[in-house]
Amino acid sequence: MIAAAGVSTLHDLYERDEVAWYGAMVELIDLERFDALDFGNLKEFLQDMSRSQRHAVKSRLLVLLTHWLKWEYQPEKRTGSWRATLQTQHFQLKYDLSESKVLRNY
């Protein structure tokens, strides 16, 4: 697994090829080799993912609310672009939130 990637440790693999590191973590979990997991980088990865998903929800909400307010209070300036943005952000939020109980609760 690691030797095939040409690195000596999981930490080195994480630094060199994050996608290969994901695969190594999954393989170790599948093999129930929990003692071999790279917990330091795994913790960092999970924290980054959590932050990233929360940021995405905030960003989508901000865009959705901004465009909805423009749509509502500037009807003379309505465009197809605004409508498309509203639909896209609404759909993406609905999809993101329905896929993640954590984000829905957030």
Side-chain angles (χ1 to χ4, degrees):
M1 161 186 39
I2 296 171
V7 294
S8 58
T9 67
L10 285 170
H11 177 77
D12 292 339
L13 181 60
Y14 181 78
E15 295 297 323
R16 180 184 259 177
D17 184 349
E18 210 171 291
V19 174
W21 178 85
Y22 301 154
M25 293 295 97
V26 169
E27 184 178 335
L28 288 170
I29 291 169
D30 284 345
L31 295 170
E32 297 184 5
R33 294 269 328 276
F34 306 118
D35 60 315
L37 291 172
D38 180 7
F39 285 106
N41 285 320
L42 190 55
K43 176 185 173 188
E44 180 182 317
F45 170 75
L46 293 172
Q47 287 172 328
D48 288 347
M49 288 298 298
S50 175
R51 253 190 313 274
S52 175
Q53 288 186 349
R54 287 181 175 167
H55 174 75
V57 168
K58 281 183 185 178
S59 180
R60 289 192 187 286
L61 278 171
L62 181 61
V63 171
L64 180 64
L65 288 172
T66 302
H67 278 75
W68 177 76
L69 287 169
K70 287 179 182 180
W71 185 269
E72 194 66 26
Y73 293 102
Q74 296 178 334
E76 71 283 355
K77 295 184 179 180
R78 288 180 183 170
T79 65
S81 172
W82 283 6
R83 181 189 313 274
T85 298
L86 287 167
Q87 291 171 337
T88 299
Q89 296 304 316
H90 176 259
F91 173 78
Q92 288 298 325
L93 270 170
K94 187 175 180 179
Y95 176 77
D96 289 347
L97 297 177
S98 69
E99 291 293 310
S100 169
K101 288 183 269 185
V102 173
L103 290 178
R104 186 173 52 237
N105 292 338
Y106 174 70

mmCIF file of all heavy atoms in Angstrom, residues 4 32 44 47 61 84 88 103:
data_model
loop_
_atom_site.group_PDB
_atom_site.id
_atom_site.type_symbol
_atom_site.label_atom_id
_atom_site.label_comp_id
_atom_site.label_asym_id
_atom_site.label_seq_id
_atom_site.Cartn_x
_atom_site.Cartn_y
_atom_site.Cartn_z
ATOM 1 N N ALA A 4 4.092 0.970 -2.371
ATOM 2 C CA ALA A 4 3.773 1.116 -3.789
ATOM 3 C C ALA A 4 3.735 2.579 -4.194
ATOM 4 O O ALA A 4 4.003 2.932 -5.327
ATOM 5 C CB ALA A 4 2.442 0.450 -4.096
ATOM 6 N N GLU A 32 -9.702 -3.247 9.172
ATOM 7 C CA GLU A 32 -9.824 -3.050 10.627
ATOM 8 C C GLU A 32 -8.459 -2.902 11.293
ATOM 9 O O GLU A 32 -8.237 -3.336 12.412
ATOM 10 C CB GLU A 32 -10.651 -4.176 11.262
ATOM 11 C CG GLU A 32 -12.082 -4.186 10.743
ATOM 12 C CD GLU A 32 -12.967 -5.226 11.404
ATOM 13 O OE1 GLU A 32 -12.523 -5.911 12.349
ATOM 14 O OE2 GLU A 32 -14.123 -5.342 10.958
ATOM 15 N N GLU A 44 -7.057 16.387 11.126
ATOM 16 C CA GLU A 44 -6.950 17.635 10.355
ATOM 17 C C GLU A 44 -7.871 17.598 9.133
ATOM 18 O O GLU A 44 -8.578 18.565 8.834
ATOM 19 C CB GLU A 44 -5.507 17.838 9.911
ATOM 20 C CG GLU A 44 -5.269 19.084 9.107
ATOM 21 C CD GLU A 44 -3.822 19.195 8.647
ATOM 22 O OE1 GLU A 44 -2.911 18.921 9.452
ATOM 23 O OE2 GLU A 44 -3.621 19.558 7.474
ATOM 24 N N GLN A 47 -11.542 17.964 10.220
ATOM 25 C CA GLN A 47 -11.817 19.341 10.612
ATOM 26 C C GLN A 47 -11.943 20.246 9.383
ATOM 27 O O GLN A 47 -12.842 21.080 9.309
ATOM 28 C CB GLN A 47 -10.711 19.874 11.534
ATOM 29 C CG GLN A 47 -10.753 19.295 12.917
ATOM 30 C CD GLN A 47 -9.541 19.677 13.751
ATOM 31 O OE1 GLN A 47 -8.439 19.856 13.238
ATOM 32 N NE2 GLN A 47 -9.746 19.788 15.051
ATOM 33 N N LEU A 61 -26.307 30.185 1.214
ATOM 34 C CA LEU A 61 -27.385 30.940 1.847
ATOM 35 C C LEU A 61 -27.239 32.437 1.588
ATOM 36 O O LEU A 61 -28.218 33.123 1.303
ATOM 37 C CB LEU A 61 -27.408 30.682 3.354
ATOM 38 C CG LEU A 61 -28.113 29.421 3.806
ATOM 39 C CD1 LEU A 61 -27.870 29.184 5.289
ATOM 40 C CD2 LEU A 61 -29.599 29.479 3.508
ATOM 41 N N ALA A 84 -32.078 32.251 -12.430
ATOM 42 C CA ALA A 84 -31.245 31.045 -12.500
ATOM 43 C C ALA A 84 -30.414 30.881 -11.228
ATOM 44 O O ALA A 84 -30.282 29.765 -10.703
ATOM 45 C CB ALA A 84 -30.334 31.108 -13.714
ATOM 46 N N THR A 88 -30.684 27.732 -8.787
ATOM 47 C CA THR A 88 -29.484 26.923 -8.578
ATOM 48 C C THR A 88 -29.116 26.840 -7.107
ATOM 49 O O THR A 88 -28.865 25.748 -6.576
ATOM 50 C CB THR A 88 -28.296 27.496 -9.375
ATOM 51 O OG1 THR A 88 -28.621 27.473 -10.767
ATOM 52 C CG2 THR A 88 -27.024 26.707 -9.133
ATOM 53 N N LEU A 103 -25.217 19.004 8.422
ATOM 54 C CA LEU A 103 -25.405 20.332 7.838
ATOM 55 C C LEU A 103 -26.828 20.811 8.016
ATOM 56 O O LEU A 103 -27.062 21.992 8.242
ATOM 57 C CB LEU A 103 -25.029 20.319 6.349
ATOM 58 C CG LEU A 103 -23.550 20.175 6.057
ATOM 59 C CD1 LEU A 103 -23.317 20.133 4.556
ATOM 60 C CD2 LEU A 103 -22.724 21.279 6.685
#
